[in-house]
Amino acid sequence: MPCPANAADSTQLRPETLVSLQAPEFFTELCLPFHEHAVVGNTYYAAPVPGTPLRLRIDFTRTIHADTYGGLRVAVVHPERREIDAVALSFVDHGTFHRRNEATNTPPNTKQYGTFGTYHRPGRPPWDGAVTTGLRDAIEQYTAVWFPGAWAASAPKRAAGPTPRSTPAPPTAPAGARTR
């Protein structure tokens, strides 16, 4: 939303600044466990391991169509070395809009398939119908490489109560291996 002092000059604003992607709500929906985080504009920033210089940055990836987003770009950033590594996570590959696409009979290879745009139904987020489990799992796997243990350390603590006990599985020998 433009600042009141700049409202008269809104013609110079880029379209994505005029229509909110509701990024804070999207990242809340992802249920990322990092306590030290902030959403600035449409970007999520986190310090998965406090006291270290590495940061996590997550942006929406654009498609070839104006105001249409096809996934997330997850990056590891160092304050001096800048971006160290990044991975693109497409909504299609992670099933984010699979149910919505099936419900609306959206054919593959169309602008709407596996994407969302800035135009949406009133009262609904632009990413309405997203199932974020696949994206969250992919982000967890990626952050485990760069921030080992951060996911478990940041996860909310379970309420006190009975803890289910698990019995360890017996060791298995590789197929065709001999045992003595």
Side-chain angles (χ1 to χ4, degrees):
M1 173 151 316
C3 180
N6 297 333
D9 196 25
S10 64
T11 56
Q12 293 179 1
L13 295 173
R14 294 179 13 199
E16 63 271 13
T17 60
L18 297 174
V19 179
S20 171
L21 295 180
Q22 298 179 7
E25 293 84 355
F26 182 87
F27 292 118
T28 297
E29 180 105 1
L30 274 175
C31 297
L32 300 175
F34 309 118
H35 298 295
E36 293 186 30
H37 73 274
V39 177
V40 180
N42 294 324
T43 304
Y44 177 91
Y45 296 95
V49 179
T52 64
L54 293 181
R55 299 292 183 256
L56 182 69
R57 181 183 67 214
I58 305 175
D59 300 295
F60 293 98
T61 59
R62 297 173 184 264
T63 67
I64 61 170
H65 303 284
D67 302 324
T68 304
Y69 301 86
L72 298 176
R73 185 173 188 279
V74 183
V76 175
V77 181
H78 186 277
E80 294 169 3
R81 297 185 199 143
R82 301 195 178 170
E83 188 173 286
I84 295 174
D85 190 62
V87 64
L89 306 174
S90 80
F91 294 144
V92 171
D93 291 345
H94 294 88
T96 308
F97 294 107
H98 180 74
R99 282 196 270 173
R100 182 201 68 188
N101 290 339
E102 282 188 341
T104 58
N105 293 319
T106 304
N109 301 323
T110 62
K111 176 183 175 182
Q112 294 80 21
Y113 188 81
T115 66
F116 76 87
T118 55
Y119 304 103
H120 54 90
R121 293 184 301 185
R124 304 299 302 173
W127 38 266
D128 191 30
V131 176
T132 58
T133 308
L135 287 172
R136 184 179 192 277
D137 291 347
I139 293 168
E140 181 177 7
Q141 290 172 359
Y142 182 76
T143 56
V145 172
W146 287 98
F147 308 99
W151 200 273
S154 298
K157 305 293 183 225
R158 293 181 59 189
T163 304
R165 297 185 186 261
S166 61
T167 306
T172 59
R178 291 190 207 208
T179 57
R180 293 186 189 223

